[in-house]
Amino acid sequence: MLRLVVLRGALAGQTFSSSLDAIRIGRAEGNEVILTDDHVSSEHARIALIGDRVILRDLRSTNGTWVVRGEARSSLSDVRGREMSILHGDVIELGSGDRCVALQVALDADPDARVFAIRRIEDLVPATTIVEKDEGRLKLLYHAQKEIGAATDLAEVFGAIAEACFTLVPKASHVTVVLKDDEDDATKGSSAYVPVMTRVRGQAGPPSTPVPVTRSIYRKVVTERAAVLAADATSEVSQSESLMGTQIRATMGIPLWKGEDILGILQVDNRTDAGVFSPADLEILAVFAHNVSLAVANARLVRRLKNAEDRLKKENAFLKNREETRRSGGKGQVEIIGGSAPMKALSHQLDKVVDTRVTVLIEGETGVGKELVASAVHYRSRRRDKLFVSQNCAAMPENLLESELFGHKKGSFTGAHEEKKGLFEIADGGSLFLDEVTEMPLSLQSKLLRALQEGEIRPVGSTVEKRVDVRIVAATNRNLEKEVAEGRFREDLYYRLKVFPIRVPPLRERREDIPLIAEHFLLRFSSEFGKPAAGFTQQAMELLQGYDWPGNVRELQNEVQRLCIQIEPGGFVTPDLLSPRVRQVEGMLDRVKPTKGTLKEMMDQVERWLLIESLREHGNNKTACAKSLGITREGLHKKLRSFGL
């Protein structure tokens, strides 16, 4: 029996008593010891009875946990695992300073039951003399182990154990399974033993009222690593409260073990008759426990694997959804912004190819959005539920790139301390985007060709091929034909990649999309910075559309991001906020090269040059030219006549 006497705190003077092997201390409902003090965490600490030791563990509380023993005061935060053994008379302090809660520990002795038979684990062999002589029990044991072996779910295993015990031991009235806390939960620290199932003969399902376990028996099972038989427990262990309270006539505790670890205890009781269990009963259950231990261990492993699989599925779905949301700008699907004719043609091409296995080659200048197009190929296809993985082939040296793409075996090269899956294997069933594919070394190009032709990869250091189903989307900003002609790219790989080429037009070829893209980025960054923007002025947008954008969409994105930092909250983007290069001021005098003269003469030369450049840019379309210059068509004609154009 564990007693906690509150020495200091809101509940000073109260005593909490418990016969449980694990109790939680905290402020929240559901704890066995509930303290109302504000600085006590919701789940502050946990006390567990482990064999003959009492372990106190801090559950990562906000204000900490201390143990005072005599003159010494120890913080659990400074101890490995944040736990330590506590003794009778120790004081537990929750928090520090004037507001700490102090609890004194009192451990009431629970005398051991008188043992009439004991069999240690090392003596529990499958073939024993008593069992071998009883052919009837051997047959029952065979069928019981067969039923348990067929069960995979932990609840099914428990049910089969209870039924088998009632069959093998006719005098048994109650069967209880006590298991160690699942070690998969690292937050629990040292594991306590807790009852997980109790069955009563003749009743379906669990009993209507809780049936306490015989702690004095199962502690002996754990500490001595043995099967224990205590006969006529009521009279023999009259001082034991847990035995007296349950009116047990006889009880057996059988260890469930795996190697050196005691997984739990199988407790079989007789609570109805005055008769006792025999050594033969202990013998048959000891043999039975040999297979039960394995079944319980396997069922717990299966449950952990299922939990891990469910967790990984949820994490995978979350990460994929987050990635898709990031690429789509929060709209739930990858969106390519643009209403120009070139972009409509590109979208039409994508619709034709997304649900095929054909390799797609995306060509375009730096910054046009080749990766966005590649992700659209994946997320518009039937492969959208699988992974979209990308790799820039120019970002890694040859030896690391091979390992990154195809994986490696442990010890295959210096530094390969463990086996690693490559991106081809990770993206199995999905899509792999290879950016800047022309930067891939020739030696790797042959491996990529085999993966495309055969659907097989070979990790570095392996002698075995692996089958993969991966949709390859490649991208380059170079002229592949020129790369092949100059011997920097394999011709056979060129034909494999360029099955369905898609060219992403540069921004200067689709100027009508600039307002849409600029507004998209303005909304995105103003929301990100928490600084609302009213939009672009007409003059600012005309300057954005008049700039050639050599860095394409990436350069426009960076420009708008800089503008969002500069503008006042709720303000408009005005021409003076634009970069000099966008305002086309940088280098203008070098391009115009006006001859020295009066200010009017030099300004006339600059204006004449601007008119000529605008006409050239718009193919002599005077209406479009006048619109871009912000003047009327009549005003343009007047200026052209004045300059003799």
Side-chain angles (χ1 to χ4, degrees):
M1 177 68 69
L2 171 68
R3 288 186 295 116
L4 296 174
V5 181
V6 183
L7 303 179
R8 187 165 59 250
L11 302 180
Q14 290 195 22
T15 299
F16 295 91
S17 300
S18 176
S19 60
L20 298 175
D21 276 1
I23 63 173
R24 287 180 181 262
I25 306 170
R27 198 176 66 252
E29 294 291 334
N31 291 293
E32 285 75 27
V33 176
I34 301 175
L35 302 172
T36 58
D37 304 76
D38 291 339
H39 66 290
V40 174
S41 298
S42 296
E43 288 188 353
H44 197 108
R46 176 176 181 268
I47 299 177
L49 279 68
I50 314 295
D52 57 353
R53 299 170 61 217
V54 182
I55 305 294
L56 172 67
R57 178 175 174 80
D58 179 79
L59 300 178
R60 301 207 171 272
S61 62
T62 303
N63 297 309
T65 304
W66 281 260
V67 174
V68 179
R69 183 176 299 163
E71 299 296 324
R73 186 172 185 266
S74 306
S75 172
L76 266 63
S77 300
D78 301 331
V79 182
R80 184 179 180 182
R82 302 174 72 95
E83 65 181 29
M84 64 182 295
S85 296
I86 55 176
L87 305 175
H88 179 81
D90 285 350
V91 175
I92 301 171
E93 292 185 351
L94 309 180
S96 60
D98 296 336
R99 301 179 62 196
C100 84
V101 176
L103 307 170
Q104 188 166 41
V105 179
L107 299 174
D108 296 334
D110 188 9
D112 287 340
R114 181 173 297 179
V115 176
F116 285 81
I118 186 167
R119 292 291 305 275
R120 287 182 168 76
I121 286 178
E122 52 267 26
D123 300 325
L124 301 180
V125 293
T128 57
T129 306
I130 296 178
V131 176
E132 286 178 343
K133 291 180 179 179
D134 192 338
E135 294 184 1
R137 277 194 167 183
L138 267 179
K139 190 174 181 180
L140 292 175
L141 181 63
Y142 168 76
H143 288 296
Q145 292 179 341
K146 187 176 178 181
E147 289 292 325
I148 291 174
T152 55
D153 181 76
L154 203 55
E156 293 179 6
V157 172
F158 290 156
I161 290 173
E163 291 302 318
C165 288
F166 290 138
T167 302
L168 294 171
V169 183
K171 291 183 179 180
S173 62
H174 294 69
V175 174
T176 301
V177 177
V178 180
L179 288 185
K180 184 188 288 187
D181 276 343
D182 199 333
E183 295 175 356
D184 190 49
D185 187 351
T187 64
K188 294 181 180 177
S190 298
S191 299
Y193 291 89
V194 293
V196 294
M197 185 275 296
T198 297
R199 292 291 183 270
V200 180
R201 184 185 290 273
Q203 293 184 15
S208 55
T209 57
V211 178
V213 296
T214 312
R215 287 180 18 219
S216 58
I217 297 296
Y218 83 71
R219 283 185 192 171
K220 181 174 287 292
V221 173
V222 174
T223 54
E224 298 196 18
R225 297 173 54 81
V228 175
L229 166 61
D232 198 12
T234 302
S235 58
E236 296 297 342
V237 198
S238 57
Q239 302 93 336
S240 174
E241 181 180 343
S242 60
L243 287 172
M244 288 294 294
T246 55
Q247 296 298 310
I248 296 175
R249 302 293 180 181
T251 187
M252 288 184 289
I254 315 295
L256 306 176
W257 75 96
K258 181 181 179 183
E260 295 299 313
D261 189 26
I262 302 294
L263 303 177
I265 299 94
L266 177 60
Q267 179 178 303
V268 179
D269 302 326
N270 174 9
R271 306 184 186 211
T272 57
D273 302 321
V276 299
F277 295 131
S278 67
D281 294 325
L282 182 68
E283 189 84 23
I284 192 72
L285 287 185
V287 177
F288 175 62
H290 189 271
N291 274 7
V292 168
S293 302
L294 181 61
V296 170
N298 288 343
R300 297 188 84 169
L301 177 60
V302 169
R303 185 179 65 180
R304 286 200 294 270
L305 290 174
K306 286 182 178 178
N307 290 339
E309 184 180 17
D310 291 341
R311 186 168 60 249
L312 288 174
K313 284 181 179 178
K314 290 177 182 177
E315 290 175 357
N316 189 25
F318 168 76
L319 292 173
K320 288 190 340 104
N321 182 63
R322 186 178 67 177
E323 176 67 10
E324 187 173 355
T325 301
R326 182 183 71 83
R327 295 179 183 277
S328 66
K331 296 186 178 180
Q333 61 179 359
V334 176
E335 181 183 18
I336 299 175
I337 300 172
S340 62
M343 295 308 293
K344 287 180 180 178
L346 185 147
S347 183
H348 185 58
Q349 282 184 295
L350 288 180
D351 292 337
K352 290 181 177 179
V353 76
V354 289
D355 281 325
T356 67
R357 292 176 55 88
V358 171
T359 301
V360 176
L361 178 65
I362 303 172
E363 299 173 302
E365 298 177 5
T366 298
V368 293
K370 296 187 289 294
E371 185 169 357
L372 182 65
V373 175
S375 64
V377 172
H378 174 78
Y379 288 112
R380 291 188 187 184
S381 73
R382 288 189 289 266
R383 294 175 179 258
R384 68 177 66 90
D385 293 331
K386 300 296 183 179
L387 289 179
F388 173 76
V389 182
S390 63
Q391 174 62 46
N392 189 320
C393 298
M396 286 188 172
E398 177 180 349
N399 58 333
L400 292 181
L401 181 59
E402 181 178 10
S403 171
E404 190 71 15
L405 292 177
F406 302 105
H408 64 249
K409 303 294 287 185
K410 182 178 179 180
S412 56
F413 55 85
T414 303
H417 301 301
E418 58 184 18
E419 186 172 333
K420 176 186 176 181
K421 286 186 177 182
L423 296 183
F424 269 92
E425 195 171 352
I426 292 172
D428 192 17
S431 303
L432 175 60
F433 173 55
L434 299 177
D435 198 8
E436 306 299 344
V437 70
T438 51
E439 300 295 332
M440 183 179 289
L442 285 169
S443 58
L444 273 186
Q445 291 178 23
S446 59
K447 293 194 73 170
L448 175 59
L449 179 63
R450 176 169 179 80
L452 289 171
Q453 287 178 332
E454 309 296 336
E456 294 180 344
I457 60 168
R458 179 182 293 178
V460 178
S462 175
T463 58
V464 180
E465 304 283 353
K466 292 185 177 181
R467 297 285 302 176
V468 291
D469 173 23
V470 178
R471 169 75 169 284
I472 297 295
V473 183
T476 180
N477 60 359
R478 295 188 181 183
N479 187 312
L480 264 183
E481 288 83 355
K482 183 179 178 181
E483 295 294 309
V484 171
E486 295 180 358
R488 291 191 293 269
F489 202 79
R490 292 178 62 109
E491 186 175 7
D492 47 4
L493 180 58
Y494 162 75
Y495 290 119
R496 273 285 174 183
L497 288 178
K498 202 163 184 176
V499 178
F500 195 90
I502 294 178
R503 178 180 177 270
V504 184
L507 206 50
R508 63 182 175 275
E509 293 182 10
R510 51 185 186 107
R511 295 181 187 274
E512 56 267 48
D513 291 334
I514 291 176
L516 294 173
I517 301 172
E519 291 286 355
H520 167 78
F521 286 134
L522 185 68
L523 179 63
R524 170 180 162 185
F525 291 121
S526 63
S527 175
E528 181 179 323
F529 298 154
K531 186 190 288 186
F536 296 88
T537 64
Q538 181 179 344
Q539 295 87 346
M541 185 57 72
E542 287 174 352
L543 287 172
L544 291 176
Q545 286 186 279
Y547 181 56
D548 279 346
W549 299 106
N552 293 291
V553 178
R554 185 180 295 124
E555 184 183 1
L556 176 58
Q557 177 180 345
N558 293 338
E559 177 71 15
V560 176
Q561 187 175 24
R562 189 187 64 81
L563 290 171
C564 282
I565 297 173
Q566 287 187 298
I567 61 173
E568 296 297 327
F572 282 90
V573 176
T574 54
D576 59 294
L577 297 177
L578 298 176
S579 301
R581 67 179 184 279
V582 177
R583 297 201 306 268
Q584 300 184 10
V585 173
E586 287 182 337
M588 179 182 289
L589 292 179
D590 291 334
R591 296 198 299 272
V592 178
K593 295 182 180 178
T595 57
K596 288 194 180 285
T598 65
L599 178 61
K600 184 179 185 308
E601 289 172 343
M602 288 190 291
M603 290 298 295
D604 286 345
Q605 292 179 58
V606 172
E607 188 174 1
R608 187 176 190 277
W609 180 84
L610 288 173
L611 289 170
I612 294 172
E613 282 295 303
S614 183
L615 286 169
R616 179 188 61 77
E617 184 180 337
H618 293 91
N620 286 322
N621 185 322
K622 294 183 176 60
T623 301
C625 178
K627 184 178 180 181
S628 67
L629 292 174
I631 59 177
T632 64
R633 182 181 172 87
E634 291 73 16
L636 177 62
H637 278 291
K638 184 178 179 180
K639 287 184 177 292
L640 292 176
R641 285 194 300 271
S642 66
F643 289 119
L645 297 175

